[in-house]
Structures are given as structure tokens and as C-alpha cells.
Amino acid sequence: MRPFAYLRPADAPSAVTASAERPNTMYLAGGTNLVDLMRLGVVSPEVLVDVSRLSADAVEEGPDGTLTIGAGVRNSDLAADPLVRRRHPMLAQSVLAGASGQIRNMATVGGNLLQRTRCSYFQDVTKPCNKRLPGTGCPAREGDHRNLAILGHSESCVATHPSDMAVALTALGAIVHVRGADGPRTVPMPGLHRLPGDEPERDTVLDPGDLITAVEVPPLPFAARSRYRKVRDRASFAFAVVSVAVALDVADGVVRDCRIALGGVAHVPWRAETAEAALRGSAATEAGFADAVDAELAAARPLPDNAFKVPLARNVLVRTLIDLAEAS
Amino acid sequence: MNGEAHTTGPDISASAPSPVTVDLLLSVNRDRHPTTVDTRETLLDTLRERLGLTGAKKGCDHGQCGACTVLVDGRRVKSCLTLTVTLDDREIVTVEGLAGEDGPHPLQTAFVEHDAFQCGYCTPGQLCSAVGMLAEAAAGWPSAVTPDVGGGTSPDEGTPSGGDVPPGDGIRLDDDEIRERMSGNLCRCGAYVNIVAAITEVAR
Ligand SMILES: Cc1cc2nc3c(=O)[nH]c(=O)nc-3n(C[C@H](O)[C@H](O)[C@H](O)COP(=O)(O)OP(=O)(O)OC[C@H]3O[C@@H](n4cnc5c(N)ncnc54)[C@H](O)[C@@H]3O)c2cc1C
Ligand code: SF4
Ligand code: FES
Ligand code: FES
């Protein structure tokens, strides 16, 4: 690992300044992804700015029911929070479906959103990879892509975003608070993560030095009836092959509203806007659910070894919609 | 601490890649250790190589096996992914610190009684993880297999209702809960059945 200086500024503005004043700086939060990537040689910052003690560690409720989650809130505290569990069960479930107890105790909300892909070529510095070294090619396309994207990928990259939590936040329409060199701003989800296009080295719309300070979850009463469901290669402690976050509002057999996002299928947590639009106002029946989901997945372009993800995503999503509808 | 003031390496604006060291006061198993560490050092390496505490084990060095699990401020973490330089003012407890004056920790006794290990390589991590896990369950933290994450929301039965979450209620730890909560600790010898039995005894 390349030597680096370590700074621990007292507040968010000083962290942004510290990072702007020095080249090749990275923020360190829980370190569960960054320390590993530094050890693997995938990233080699010269300065680490520790943001894990910036007192952005609370979940606060606004007058209208908005929840503001500090970027430094540990994943385990987020999942245990009574307001999060009651209002947005799928958010708590998505966090609990990820990693392990130890890692959730370390990992933060900000770091979770910005974790890098688990594509094996990206993590192996002896291999070419457009995301790690732009212009070197994408061996995954011809090689190991069983776990990679079926939607929205490009010639240059077929990676998936690995976060479970981001899938639920995308369904919930969370708003990410960012502080950059020009001051604070907000970025909506979906919209934080980007499709690879011909710049796969950029996972998100953030610029270097941008600090995530909080994530705001707007009120969504019907999300009290919501669910995160994850399919993986072993029962626990594995990344998603496919996952779904679904909130459903059904009255008198008709879908009044819904929110749907998919994980493990794209370079972004995939908001299923086509399926949502098809479902709103339609009959809450298995056939209706299947049609809406098929309309969404019509855009899928699977590779030879991950075509199974299309029916898998379809079946998991349809089943989850049925379960939620039956429970209402 | 102000990290900059303690930085004894080169000027941080220079890119010369020579090691940067920092002086810290580490608290491990209730003892204070003034320590000088390389910023790149993980807690696992500091414990094993500088402090002679070889209980925590290096299984994978990537956060995937749990053999390096220790407690920081009472919470279980993976010491292979924790940079030591971040840990001043934190209380670290390793497997060497679990026993009290009156003998082994109840989990240690239960592991022996239930044959909860074979080679023993994963055991220090299993023990520290179980200590942290029991505290999490007692505080009412849900897991991926907890039926009522949302209070009336059942992730596996699909019967959400959005009722109240019972505040701070302890979780009843059946085998499924223990297995899920301990899934960050792998055992190459496959002692899982007896590990669950040992933890169950202490959880009661
Ligand atoms: C063995 C293992 C299994 C895992 N399994 C899963 C899983 O099943 N599902 C899942 O979702 N995740 C999983 N993870 C990933 C884990 O959730 C992430 O590593 C973690 O959430 C990252 O958070 P962190 O605080 O540790 O981030 P760090 O590692 O500290 O940082 C990650 C990145 O975010 C940047 N960053 C951190 N905070 C900020 C901020 N506030 N503003 C701007 N930039 C910031 C850092 O510079 C870095 O680039 C797993 C990890 C491991 C090691
Ligand atoms: S899919 Fe993306 S991350 Fe993986 S090898 Fe190709 S370019 Fe790299
Ligand atoms: S050595 Fe830390 S998890 Fe394997
Ligand atoms: S007892 Fe040998 S690895 Fe667990």
C-alpha cells in the first residue's frame, strides 16, 4: 500500500477544504471498502481525510415526517432505528441483507452509497478494466460476467452497483446532501449513480472532493408497507445476484401507487419507472403485475452467462408484488 | 486528536511516498499503550505485530472471514479493515481481554463445553463476534431473519402492516437468528452446529 497522510478535520466544511487543498485525497469513513481497495492497489490516495467522526451520526425527523440520515450513521444503527423500521421497513431490510454484523457496525451511509463494483477484474490490478484504467478494455464482456449487468450497460462496462441500501433509497426517492468546493447542494436518487456509457470510471455524478453529508428520505406513508427481497448464492453474507425493493399501495383491488427498484442488474440501483407507470391505476392481479414487470424488463440485454437474471428478476419482483398486495 | 499535528512523516503536500507515522495512545483490554503506527497499519497488524496480542487471526485480510473480529467501544468489527490511526480514544477488547478476574467469559466456557471448535483458528473471532452479537440482540436490533423488522412487517411471511416497533425489546435468539447474526464468521472446520449450541446456552 502506498504511504498516505491522515487528517481528521473537525467539521464538514474543513473536510472539504482539506480535500480541495491537496491532490489525490480521499475521504475515509468505515473503511470497509476503501481499505480493501487500497490494499489491492486499486486506489492509492496520498491523503486520507477521516470523515467518520464528523458527528453526522443521527437520524432526525422533520415536522413533515422527512427523515434526515447523517452520512456517518453506521449501517447497523440505520437498520435498528425505530423510525426507519416503522416508516420504511424495506430500507432497514436492505441494510440487514447486506454484508455481516461486523461490517454493518463499521460501514456508514455515505460510504455504502459510494462503494465500488465487485466486478472481479476491477479488483485485480493485473487485469485490464475500463473502470479502473480507462481505455484498457472490458474483459468481463467475454469473460466472467455471471453476476454483472443486464440493463443499461455499455460496450465499455457491464459492472453492477453492489449496494443493497442504495436500492431501497432509490425506490424511496431519497435526496443526497452533498458539500463540494462551491458549497452545499442536493442530488436526487435515482440520479446519484450514473450508467457507464463511455466513462465507466465515473460511478456517480459527484466530483472529486464532494462530501456526502446526509441522505434525506421524504415522507411516503404507503412505504410502511414495503419489502426488500434479495437473491444471493448463499443464504447470508453475499452480494445480491438480484434484489428488489418494493412499496405498494393497494385499495379495493387497484394499485393506487407503488415504488420499485432493482439491485444487481445495472451500474445504478435501477428504478423501475416503466413498471411503476404501468401499475398505477391498474388491477392488483398477478397477470397485471407480470405485464408491468415484463414491460420493464423488455429493455434487458443480458450477456451469455447472466441471461438467467431476467426471469429471476421477473419472478422475484412479481412474487413480492403479490405478497404485498395480499397483505393489504 | 488533530491528525496533522501528530503526523511525523514528510510534508503532506509532497508526493514522496515515504511512510507516514503517527503517535497514538491505544487502549487495549483496559491497558494503555503509547504506540507509534504507520498510517497504513490495520488494527489486526498492530495487535499482532506490535502489541504481541496474537489472539485475533488473519484469515483473509479482506473482511470476508471474521477471524480478526475484535470489539471497539463494545461493538464487533473486523480489525483487518480498521486503520489503527483512527482508533485513539477508543476502547479495544480482544479475545485476550474477554476473561474476567473470576475466570473465563461464559461464552469461552460454553465453547469448551460444547466442543465449538476443532483447529481453533476461527475461535477468537467467533467469541468476540458472539459477545458483540448478544449485546446487539439484547438492544433489540433486528436481523435479516427477524420477522417483525417494521413492527408487524414480516419479511418472510409478507404480512406488513406498519405497526409500532417495540422499543428496545430483546430479540429471542433461535438457531436461525444465531446463524444469520454469526454469518460474518466462517469456520473451515465446520464447527457451526456446536458454535450455535454454545451461543444458545449463553443467550438463554
Ligand atoms: C466481505 C464484505 C461483504 C459485503 N457485502 C455487502 C452486501 O452484501 N451488500 C452491500 O450492500 N454491501 C456489502 N459490502 C460493502 C459494504 O456495505 C461497504 O463496504 C460499506 O457500506 C462502505 O461504507 P464505509 O463507510 O466502510 O465506506 P469506506 O470504505 O470508508 O468508503 C467507501 C468510498 O466512499 C467514499 N466516502 C465515504 N464516505 C464518504 C462521504 N461522506 N462523502 C463522500 N465520499 C465518501 C470513500 O472515499 C470511498 O471511496 C460488503 C463488504 C465486505 C467487505
Ligand atoms: S465490467 Fe466494468 S468494472 Fe468489470 S472489467 Fe469491465 S470495465 Fe472493468
Ligand atoms: S482477516 Fe479480517 S475478516 Fe478475514
Ligand atoms: S475451528 Fe477450525 S476454523 Fe473454526
Side-chain angles (χ1 to χ4, degrees):
Chain A
M1 200 189 290
R2 173 190 193 144
F4 56 85
Y6 171 81
L7 306 176
R8 193 191 298 149
D11 51 33
S14 345
V16 174
T17 308
S19 143
E21 280 170 352
R22 299 166 178 84
N24 204 0
T25 296
M26 289 185 80
Y27 296 122
L28 172 73
T32 58
N33 189 211
L34 183 55
V35 171
D36 200 28
L37 291 177
M38 288 167 67
R39 187 178 284 137
L40 292 168
V42 173
V43 293
S44 308
E46 287 164 54
V47 183
L48 282 191
V49 177
D50 185 347
V51 296
S52 68
R53 296 200 199 184
L54 288 185
S55 72
D57 55 1
V59 179
E60 280 159 3
E61 184 185 20
D64 65 346
T66 297
L67 296 185
T68 302
I69 303 162
V73 170
R74 305 286 167 170
N75 285 188
S76 47
D77 291 313
L78 179 65
D81 187 273
L83 283 173
V84 171
R85 290 166 64 183
R86 191 161 61 230
R87 303 271 177 76
H88 310 298
M90 67 176 163
L91 178 54
Q93 289 166 357
S94 70
V95 174
L96 293 171
S100 70
Q102 293 98 315
I103 290 169
R104 291 191 298 270
N105 278 341
M106 304 166 73
T108 63
V109 167
N112 191 319
L113 286 175
L114 298 186
Q115 61 174 300
R116 310 298 309 273
T117 185
R118 258 52 190 188
C119 173
S120 58
Y121 304 102
F122 174 74
Q123 297 189 317
D124 180 350
V125 295
T126 67
K127 299 285 190 334
C129 165
N130 284 330
K131 185 181 276 300
R132 183 167 32 73
L133 267 181
T136 53
C138 173
R141 189 164 265 286
E142 304 287 314
D144 177 13
H145 55 248
R146 175 182 174 275
N147 218 0
L148 302 185
I150 55 171
L151 285 160
H153 51 74
S154 67
E155 273 305 310
S156 61
C157 180
V158 293
T160 47
H161 193 266
S163 167
D164 290 296
M165 182 193 75
V167 180
L169 288 175
T170 296
L172 287 165
I175 296 161
V176 180
H177 291 240
V178 178
R179 177 176 277 275
D182 301 330
R185 68 181 195 280
T186 57
V187 180
M189 291 180 75
L192 174 68
H193 301 91
R194 57 184 292 288
L195 291 175
D198 53 14
E199 271 185 302
E201 66 278 17
R202 292 184 57 213
D203 292 356
T204 70
V205 300
L206 300 186
D207 294 320
D210 278 346
L211 178 72
I212 296 180
T213 53
V215 175
E216 186 184 312
V217 184
L220 189 71
F222 73 88
R225 189 186 324 285
S226 66
R227 183 153 176 203
Y228 187 75
R229 199 177 220 171
K230 174 175 176 179
V231 180
R232 39 188 161 177
D233 286 333
R234 58 181 182 192
S236 183
F237 199 22
F239 286 94
V241 176
V242 162
S243 69
V244 300
V246 184
L248 187 66
D249 185 6
V250 175
D252 306 323
V254 173
V255 177
R256 282 201 300 209
D257 206 351
C258 61
R259 294 291 181 86
I260 302 172
L262 292 159
V265 296
H267 198 258
V268 299
W270 187 270
R271 179 78 175 263
E273 278 161 7
T274 305
E276 287 181 13
L279 284 172
R280 281 190 196 103
S282 76
T285 60
E286 177 165 355
F289 294 154
D291 286 348
V293 172
D294 286 340
E296 183 71 45
L297 291 172
R301 297 286 174 271
L303 299 162
D305 295 334
N306 69 5
F308 73 98
K309 282 193 179 189
V310 180
L312 183 60
R314 176 188 192 272
N315 294 345
V316 174
L317 189 45
V318 171
R319 185 71 239 171
T320 305
L321 285 162
I322 294 170
D323 289 349
L324 285 167
E326 282 174 355
S328 50
Chain B
M1 150 190 131
N2 174 344
E4 218 159 351
H6 290 252
T7 300
T8 54
D11 179 345
I12 42 165
S13 56
S15 57
S18 44
V20 181
T21 58
V22 174
D23 299 325
L24 322 156
L25 194 56
L26 284 181
S27 168
V28 184
N29 300 331
R30 296 166 290 279
D31 288 334
R32 300 264 188 191
H33 300 269
T35 316
T36 302
V37 298
D38 188 305
T39 52
R40 293 170 291 180
E41 224 170 289
T42 60
L43 175 58
L44 180 59
D45 287 336
T46 306
L47 290 170
R48 294 181 56 87
E49 311 294 335
R50 287 194 199 273
L51 304 182
L53 293 169
T54 53
K57 298 287 185 282
K58 190 178 284 190
C60 66
D61 226 12
H62 292 292
Q64 295 168 356
C65 75
C68 66
T69 304
V70 301
L71 299 160
V72 173
D73 287 350
R75 289 189 168 201
R76 51 180 174 155
V77 301
K78 301 212 161 165
S79 62
C80 71
L81 294 181
T82 305
L83 294 176
T84 310
V85 68
T86 64
L87 291 172
D88 54 308
D89 313 325
R90 302 289 197 222
E91 296 287 332
I92 299 151
V93 173
T94 68
V95 71
E96 290 92 341
L98 288 185
E101 276 168 14
D102 39 351
H105 188 283
L107 277 164
Q108 291 174 311
T109 309
F111 266 58
V112 173
E113 280 173 359
H114 287 270
D115 258 337
F117 49 86
Q118 290 175 37
C119 77
Y121 196 82
C122 70
T123 314
Q126 301 278 4
L127 286 165
C128 288
S129 186
V131 170
M133 183 277 277
L134 291 178
E136 293 165 8
W141 289 14
S143 83
V145 300
T146 306
D148 283 331
V149 167
T153 302
S154 173
D156 283 310
E157 314 304 327
T159 52
S161 74
D164 270 358
V165 178
D169 262 15
I171 301 275
R172 202 181 65 81
L173 290 175
D174 58 17
D175 285 7
D176 283 350
E177 281 282 3
I178 292 174
R179 285 175 194 281
E180 165 58 27
R181 287 166 192 266
M182 293 296 292
S183 69
N185 292 84
L186 307 190
C187 174
R188 285 300 297 270
C189 302
Y192 296 112
V193 173
N194 295 353
I195 292 171
V196 173
I199 295 175
T200 303
E201 184 184 315
V202 178
R204 271 205 205 103

